[in-house]
Amino acid sequence: MIAIIDNLKKQGSKLATSMPKFLLALLVVIFAVDASAQKNKSKDFDEIGLFLGAGYYNGEICPTRPFYKPKFAFGLNIRHGLNDRFAISFQAIRCLLEGDDLDFNNTYQQLRHAKFENEIVELSLQAEVNFLPLIKGDYYHCFSPYLAVGPGLTVGSFPNEGLQFCIPFGVGVKFCPTKRISLSAEWKYRKMFTDVLDHINEDEFDSVNPNIEHRKQKSFLGDKDWYSFVGAVFSVVIGGGKTGISCPAYQR
């Protein structure tokens, strides 16, 4: 954690660059969801819950394989329901991502022998859109698939770059068996705008040096790194426990 704090202090300019992107995306999410919610007035409800799952990385070491070296991920999830179709959620998730070239049979990767560990903390605000009307405790409307997208910030060990902007997006399902309990399962990717999540930050090819260790290209320009979280959210309704529209036909 001390190393992360020192890195952020050194990279103040990078933070200043990422923050406007985050704030702009944040405003777009808030206004878009709020405008949609105004079309269908209902009582709000708030949830607080625990995210438990796994995180994994894709980049130079593992370009395409899903669920490569999954690591335990945990965090906080706060959801504000606007109506039975829309919600805004805040997530804070912590996870250790890692990779190793020696896990692959590719000859080039065996020679490169790159490996990394990067402990990250992600903060994000996401808009959620339910495919079906979701009413807590209602036998016929207590389940719905949903889409989620929004802006996020990733704190971790990024050589020469500090804090990073990301865009979480993905799908999930919600199940609300009672007015007080909400369960969700989700799988979300993180679109990043950096190529050094895996600490491979050189992009050069030296054809003069006969030594293969110096001639190899280490990373690939324009091919940004990704990471993903898959897991479950266990939530309870806080406050008055208002549950939204009880009769969709009459909006009451």
Side-chain angles (χ1 to χ4, degrees), residues 119-135:
E119 186 170 16
I120 65 168
V121 176
E122 178 195 278
L123 306 176
S124 66
L125 187 69
Q126 302 170 34
E128 298 179 355
V129 181
N130 300 324
F131 287 103
L132 303 172
L134 187 66
I135 304 172

Side-chain angles (χ1 to χ4, degrees), residues 180-237:
R180 289 289 184 181
I181 297 177
S182 175
L183 306 175
S184 304
E186 58 185 36
W187 184 7
K188 298 176 183 175
Y189 281 86
R190 270 64 181 177
K191 165 63 177 175
M192 300 201 75
F193 299 88
T194 179
D195 196 31
V196 293
L197 172 66
D198 49 20
H199 298 173
I200 302 177
N201 60 353
E202 298 181 24
D203 193 290
E204 53 189 30
F205 187 87
D206 184 359
S207 59
V208 177
N209 194 316
N211 189 334
I212 186 64
E213 293 298 322
H214 294 281
R215 288 191 290 115
K216 64 187 180 184
Q217 183 183 30
K218 291 190 175 183
S219 64
F220 305 94
L221 287 175
D223 186 12
K224 305 304 183 184
D225 296 332
W226 295 68
Y227 66 93
S228 305
F229 290 133
V230 57
V233 180
F234 306 88
S235 302
V236 294
V237 176

Side-chain angles (χ1 to χ4, degrees), residues 40 83-87 128-136 140-147 172-174 176 248:
N40 188 10
N83 54 41
D84 58 356
R85 292 280 190 175
F86 299 95
E128 298 179 355
V129 181
N130 300 324
F131 287 103
L132 303 172
L134 187 66
I135 304 172
K136 294 183 182 299
Y140 297 101
H141 302 93
C142 62
F143 171 85
S144 178
Y146 67 94
L147 294 174
V173 292
K174 298 177 186 176
C176 306

Side-chain angles (χ1 to χ4, degrees), residues 7-249:
N7 189 39
L8 290 180
K9 290 180 179 179
K10 295 177 182 179
Q11 303 302 329
S13 60
K14 294 295 182 180
L15 173 59
T17 301
S18 298
M19 188 59 71
K21 297 178 183 178
F22 175 77
L23 293 176
L24 178 60
L26 182 63
L27 290 174
V28 170
V29 168
I30 292 175
F31 283 117
V33 176
D34 183 66
S36 298
Q38 296 304 317
K39 298 178 181 179
N40 188 10
K41 297 290 186 179
S42 66
K43 299 177 180 179
D44 296 336
F45 58 86
D46 294 292
E47 305 171 12
I48 184 167
L50 178 67
F51 173 89
L52 297 174
Y56 64 93
Y57 138 92
N58 289 115
E60 272 76 23
I61 294 177
C62 178
T64 58
R65 183 196 299 179
F67 305 108
Y68 166 65
K69 280 187 175 295
K71 295 297 180 182
F72 176 64
F74 66 96
L76 175 70
N77 190 90
I78 299 175
R79 180 180 288 131
H80 175 67
L82 298 172
N83 54 41
D84 58 356
R85 292 280 190 175
F86 299 95
I88 295 178
S89 67
F90 168 79
Q91 284 190 334
I93 301 177
R94 183 176 182 177
C95 183
L96 174 67
L97 302 174
E98 67 175 42
D100 192 331
D101 270 338
L102 297 186
D103 292 332
F104 300 86
N105 295 325
N106 182 281
T107 302
Y108 169 70
Q109 289 187 266
Q110 292 288 320
L111 291 171
R112 181 175 62 182
H113 191 192
K115 61 181 180 179
F116 80 97
E117 287 187 351
N118 194 342
E119 186 170 16
I120 65 168
V121 176
E122 178 195 278
L123 306 176
S124 66
L125 187 69
Q126 302 170 34
E128 298 179 355
V129 181
N130 300 324
F131 287 103
L132 303 172
L134 187 66
I135 304 172
K136 294 183 182 299
D138 186 308
Y139 180 80
Y140 297 101
H141 302 93
C142 62
F143 171 85
S144 178
Y146 67 94
L147 294 174
V149 65
L153 291 174
T154 305
V155 182
S157 175
F158 300 100
N160 303 319
E161 294 196 15
L163 191 67
Q164 291 298 316
F165 176 66
C166 68
I167 301 179
F169 65 94
V171 297
V173 292
K174 298 177 186 176
F175 177 55
C176 306
T178 73
K179 295 181 179 181
R180 289 289 184 181
I181 297 177
S182 175
L183 306 175
S184 304
E186 58 185 36
W187 184 7
K188 298 176 183 175
Y189 281 86
R190 270 64 181 177
K191 165 63 177 175
M192 300 201 75
F193 299 88
T194 179
D195 196 31
V196 293
L197 172 66
D198 49 20
H199 298 173
I200 302 177
N201 60 353
E202 298 181 24
D203 193 290
E204 53 189 30
F205 187 87
D206 184 359
S207 59
V208 177
N209 194 316
N211 189 334
I212 186 64
E213 293 298 322
H214 294 281
R215 288 191 290 115
K216 64 187 180 184
Q217 183 183 30
K218 291 190 175 183
S219 64
F220 305 94
L221 287 175
D223 186 12
K224 305 304 183 184
D225 296 332
W226 295 68
Y227 66 93
S228 305
F229 290 133
V230 57
V233 180
F234 306 88
S235 302
V236 294
V237 176
I238 58 177
K242 300 175 182 178
T243 60
I245 301 173
S246 58
C247 180

